[in-house]
Amino acid sequence: MKMSNGVEWALHSCVTLSQSREPVPAARLAELHGTAPAYTAKQLQALSRAGIVGSTMGQSGGYVLTRPASEISALEVVRAIDGDEPAYRCTEIRQRGPLGIPAERCARPCAIARAMAAAQDAWSHALAQVSIAGLAADIDADSDGTAMPDVRRWLATTRN
Amino acid sequence: MKMSNGVEWALHSCVTLSQSREPVPAARLAELHGTAPAYTAKQLQALSRAGIVGSTMGQSGGYVLTRPASEISALEVVRAIDGDEPAYRCTEIRQRGPLGIPAERCARPCAIARAMAAAQDAWSHALAQVSIAGLAADIDADSDGTAMPDVRRWLATTRN
DNA sequence: ATGATCTCGGATATCTATTGTCCGAGTTCT
DNA sequence: AGAACTCGGACAATAGATATCCGAGATCAT
């Protein structure tokens, strides 16, 4: 079970965007994070499709969060990048083989699928309670309150 | 985020093995579940390496659970097949780019990594409380108590 | 004791999905 | 009106999972 690598980039991008009211181009985010520009852009496109960020085209364009950072959960970001399909998909093994159960008696999902779904719900619930604003605050606290001001300052800097 | 498809096969195999004290060959399990024989064998090898099942070679050999089914958690099976690496891996983006934080000040994991780890812990905790015996009981209950007796009867049948 | 048969185990191709990249359409500012 | 900069989707390369096969080893029957 492996999550897309782009989730990390997307979450960092959202945290960074939460520090700017002005649009930030994808290339700028890639430069700040030290990530591949083209691929970073791809993740931002996914966020845009999901409605988490809004895009402005043309000169002085870029991406902005569409909602307050406190109202965007980490779960939304993960789902936007990694897809919202559950990690476990039941192939209905119980219906196959010599002891296959007829589909009519399979109203409820398989017990194994139920257990996996419950685990995924616990995972989702944990991520739903983490907001971008909370992440930004935690990152800031880890650096004794210097990280986010530094980001704001760097974003305000005109591209040399 | 997608889990290996073999997890489903492995869990069903464990539930089936919990109904037999005699060794069951991999080919037999594949036949019962309607799965590809060669690939099913591969999953059982992984379970064997993890110590969840024991193997007996030669004629009338096969696989057996090494512990009571009530003491084997679904989490162990998932880890044996899908690997025990966490779904989210931090690339330490905070150390990169123009605002990169020096490694010496990165004693704690990144706040984003912490949130993801907490979610994964919630997921693991949920699966750790599900035992193979519990799954067998639930599957049995879903079929009004006919499923597991049917499996025992089928396993006792000599291969024509 | 010996042979034959059946078992697992690891090494080996195929294939899908993720990763990574590029260029065109559209918009904004000058 | 022109030019430069932006996003957006379409296009290769790569890694991992999927699926398979054959050899090593043990057991049972003879």
Side-chain angles (χ1 to χ4, degrees):
Chain A
M1 189 175 61
K2 156 172 171 296
M3 185 177 310
S4 171
N5 212 352
V7 169
E8 184 184 9
W9 304 12
L11 283 169
H12 276 277
S13 293
C14 285
V15 169
T16 299
L17 286 177
S18 75
Q19 302 301 310
S20 169
R21 193 151 282 281
E22 306 290 318
V24 182
R28 209 84 208 290
L29 288 170
E31 181 190 359
L32 175 59
H33 296 147
T35 54
Y39 196 42
T40 303
K42 191 179 173 65
Q43 315 300 344
L44 287 169
Q45 286 169 30
L47 292 178
S48 175
R49 242 172 292 164
I52 296 173
V53 303
S55 62
T56 313
M57 295 187 83
Q59 203 162 345
S60 77
Y63 291 98
V64 193
L65 294 182
T66 57
R67 278 173 285 161
S70 58
E71 294 178 12
I72 301 175
S73 71
L75 179 62
E76 291 179 72
V77 176
V78 171
R79 286 222 174 114
I81 303 297
D82 209 54
D84 53 357
E85 311 165 8
Y88 180 88
R89 279 141 311 158
C90 182
T91 334
E92 291 294 335
I93 282 186
R94 59 179 172 175
Q95 296 186 20
R96 289 146 65 180
L99 295 183
I101 300 173
E104 60 176 14
R105 297 191 60 187
C106 292
R108 302 181 67 185
C110 173
I112 293 177
R114 292 204 301 270
M116 300 306 263
Q120 174 121 9
D121 285 349
W123 179 85
S124 300
H125 188 72
L127 282 187
Q129 286 176 290
V130 176
S131 72
I132 297 298
L135 287 175
D138 288 351
I139 290 175
D140 206 40
D142 285 347
S143 336
D144 299 323
T146 64
M148 289 305 134
D150 283 351
V151 168
R152 284 194 290 270
R153 204 171 299 125
W154 189 86
L155 286 175
T157 304
T158 67
R159 187 165 336 141
N160 63 313
Chain B
M1 188 176 60
K2 158 171 170 295
M3 185 178 311
S4 170
N5 213 351
V7 169
E8 184 183 10
W9 304 12
L11 282 170
H12 276 277
S13 292
C14 285
V15 168
T16 300
L17 286 177
S18 76
Q19 301 301 309
S20 169
R21 191 151 284 280
E22 307 289 320
V24 182
R28 210 84 206 292
L29 288 169
E31 181 190 359
L32 175 58
H33 297 146
T35 55
Y39 197 41
T40 302
K42 189 179 176 60
Q43 316 298 345
L44 288 170
Q45 286 169 29
L47 292 178
S48 175
R49 242 172 293 165
I52 296 173
V53 303
S55 62
T56 313
M57 295 187 83
Q59 203 161 343
S60 78
Y63 291 98
V64 194
L65 295 182
T66 57
R67 278 173 286 162
S70 59
E71 295 178 12
I72 301 176
S73 72
L75 179 62
E76 291 179 71
V77 176
V78 171
R79 285 224 174 112
I81 302 297
D82 210 52
D84 53 359
E85 310 166 9
Y88 180 88
R89 281 141 311 160
C90 183
T91 333
E92 290 295 334
I93 282 186
R94 59 180 173 173
Q95 296 186 21
R96 290 147 63 180
L99 295 183
I101 300 173
E104 60 177 14
R105 297 192 61 186
C106 292
R108 304 181 66 185
C110 174
I112 294 177
R114 293 204 300 270
M116 300 306 262
Q120 176 121 8
D121 285 348
W123 179 84
S124 299
H125 187 72
L127 282 187
Q129 287 176 289
V130 176
S131 71
I132 297 298
L135 287 176
D138 287 350
I139 291 175
D140 206 40
D142 285 346
S143 334
D144 300 323
T146 63
M148 290 305 135
D150 283 351
V151 169
R152 286 194 289 270
R153 203 171 298 124
W154 188 85
L155 286 174
T157 304
T158 68
R159 187 164 333 137
N160 58 312

